[in-house]
Amino acid sequence: MKSSSNWSNFHKIARNSFIAASTVCVTNEFNFSNTCLPDRRSFCFVAGNRSSFVELKSEEEFNNALSKARDGSVSSVFYYTAAWCGPCRLISPVMLELSEKYPHVTTYKVDIDERGLSNAIGKLNVAAVPTLQFFKGGVKKAEIVGVDVVKLRSVMEYLYK
């Protein structure tokens, strides 16, 4: 049996309104410190100068990105995440890899705890993290809730190759 500190981490997450559908228990046994930035609220994404990855910080940025996705001007993936979400940390390197593999697809990282974004996110019925929404030709073509790397790779390949 795991120590009680591991279970306390589970209870902290369970009290939040956003819970990853595939999460059973999150422990602190995994060490992400070698892959994450010093600011623990930001994830392991360091996209450099690649224009295919954009971190949205305000409702205005979010609304502009969603408008571009819905009017068909850009193919895009919206990656809804949270700093406290263990499964989000597990999938973040895969998201970075895929944003590099498909540079013509804009990947938008949306931290659900970012101030000013909760109203915009609420309108889209995002109820769990990680949630991935895939847009192509102005239409939401797919959505993945939870961590399913095989499905993620398949959807990206099918929609954006």
Side-chain angles (χ1 to χ4, degrees):
M1 175 139 177
K2 302 290 179 194
S3 70
S4 62
S5 66
N6 291 341
W7 286 107
S8 67
N9 286 339
F10 172 74
H11 293 294
K12 287 178 192 171
I13 293 171
R15 280 184 258 146
N16 276 296
S17 59
F18 290 89
I19 301 172
S22 60
T23 301
V24 176
C25 181
V26 178
T27 71
N28 60 1
E29 293 177 348
F30 297 103
N31 181 359
F32 295 100
S33 61
N34 61 340
T35 58
C36 293
L37 299 172
D39 176 9
R40 294 273 176 183
R41 286 195 44 83
S42 55
F43 278 107
C44 307
F45 286 105
V46 183
N49 292 332
R50 288 182 299 279
S51 61
S52 65
F53 182 84
V54 179
E55 189 171 347
L56 302 176
K57 294 283 195 180
S58 70
E59 188 169 355
E60 181 181 359
E61 290 175 351
F62 178 80
N63 288 334
N64 288 339
L66 191 58
S67 291
K68 287 179 185 177
R70 287 183 171 163
D71 72 13
S73 63
V74 294
S75 293
S76 54
V77 177
F78 284 79
Y79 168 44
Y80 299 94
T81 185
W84 49 263
C85 172
C88 297
R89 289 188 212 132
L90 292 174
I91 202 168
S92 64
V94 178
M95 292 303 299
L96 180 58
E97 173 197 329
L98 292 172
S99 72
E100 292 171 353
K101 183 175 181 179
Y102 300 98
H104 61 285
V105 178
T106 304
T107 302
Y108 295 105
K109 177 186 165 205
V110 183
D111 185 334
I112 61 162
D113 294 326
E114 188 71 42
R115 289 182 193 216
L117 288 176
S118 59
N119 290 336
I121 294 167
K123 295 174 190 173
L124 296 174
N125 298 320
V126 174
V129 292
T131 293
L132 301 155
Q133 295 178 336
F134 303 86
F135 288 83
K136 184 176 181 182
V139 177
K140 184 169 82 170
K141 297 286 189 174
E143 181 173 275
I144 299 173
V145 178
V147 177
D148 189 338
V149 174
V150 173
K151 187 173 183 179
L152 170 58
R153 291 181 189 280
S154 299
V155 168
M156 292 289 288
E157 176 85 15
Y158 176 75
L159 290 176
Y160 304 124
K161 186 164 185 176

